[in-house]
Amino acid sequence: MVYSLEQIVNLCSDVTNNSKEIKKGSLFLALPGTKFDGRHYISEAIRNGASAIIYEKKDFKLIDQIIIPHIGIENLHKHQAKIIKSFFTNPSKSLKIIGITGTNGKTSVAGWLAQCLNLLNCKAGMIGTLGYQVSGKKVKTLNTTPDIISLSNILNDAVNKECEFVVLEVSSHAIQQKRIENIDFDLRILTNVSRDHLDYHKTIKSYQNTKKQFFLSEKKIKAIINIDDLVGREIINEGNLKSHQFISYAIDRDADLKVKNIVYKNNKTIFDFLWEKNPYQIKTNIFGKHNIYNLLSVIASLLNYKFPMGMIIEAIENLENIAGRNEVVHHNDNGTPQIIIDYAHTPDALENILQSLGETEPSEIILIFGCGGNRDKGKRKQMAFIASKYADKVIVTSDNPRDENPYDILNTIEKNLSVNNEVIASREDAIKRGLMLIKKKGILLIAGKGHENFQEIKGVKIPFSDKQIALSNIGLINH
């Protein structure tokens, strides 16, 4: 019997794309992914009790005869949202969902915005690189933005936990793969757009256009936009956004929310800003120009929801650092940050953190970094140039080599360095070497992995933490 899509959906009471989660009444969606092809798990899904199968038809031929209802559809990822709607009431109708996209800063903005909302007595959950977090509990997720089914389940959980807000990191992959199709966003935030994921998007233009799509796909949006960023200005122009639809923020240009002065003093950042022509000041332990941009987007978001400025400033000044983002793991005897770990794994992010550290006027900056395997190879040269420009010494090491020979990656970086450097393939040994070299008034920056607790080598994630290695070897510091 040949079944229609509607008939198959009506036969089932549940939907999943994970063959191990199949139960009686489940519809199994079998799609090809970047690492695994769900179509190879059709037999397992049937053995586990699937009631029906919908699979991606393109470039695939069923080998085994399927005795349960099934249908093949071309470009299944474009139809997922419609299929899944049949199984979930739209949880985003009961939540204010704030989506954040950009190359860098998504995790910091998401974490700080969720913190502020909770400090302002508005229960907020967060979904992103650090997982799903609500009410102090954390659940790991596979991607920055989970797949469309997982996302629906998480948002339903947020509704059940009586959240008012959910702050969601929106990756370019999620936009391209239509993982966010079923979500009604209450507010959209752009941090910045620079080079990243060219292994996937192929060109910077394609990557930029994907980010723009998050803002241009609908007419009636509310947005927070960094207009120091070219893509931010293009979104406003191409989307013909009216002034009531967005709040702009900037440091170097005139904007709705505009920074006037930045001072670093006694391990604090102090900055003045204007809102509706009124001056305000914030003092924070969070440092770096890039983080001031991140804080501006948080302030603008809270202003969008009409929180009083005094309450916003108080919340901002009580923020805690985000794991693996400008995270100080050790201070020297004077209380000055000495060892810092940061997730910086793009040219722009590495330049931002190095510039920020330079502004604190350390005696030297020692940088430990590498580049990921099976990813955009073009950024390795760029990051070497940036390291040479801002660091006094560089230790090149492994950072998730994946299926590549780590020495090929290390050699590409090393030959483009023009600063005193060492190549140490073992990341643990590289961190130990950095600790031995650091001087009292110097800074050791361990960049690239941040919060990650693994090294990915040949498809295996081996437990590894920059923070744990650094802290367990603090005794190597000699001054």
Side-chain angles (χ1 to χ4, degrees), residues 384-430:
F385 289 162
I386 288 164
S388 300
K389 183 176 178 181
Y390 296 101
D392 298 288
K393 181 177 178 66
V394 173
I395 301 173
V396 186
T397 192
S398 297
D399 182 347
N400 295 334
R402 298 184 177 89
D403 297 318
E404 285 194 60
N405 182 334
Y407 289 97
D408 291 342
I409 302 171
L410 301 179
N411 290 339
T412 300
I413 297 170
E414 193 272 337
K415 73 180 182 182
N416 287 290
L417 288 169
S418 58
V419 68
N420 182 15
N421 70 81
E422 298 180 35
V423 176
I424 304 175
S426 163
R427 195 169 179 95
E428 181 172 353
D429 290 345

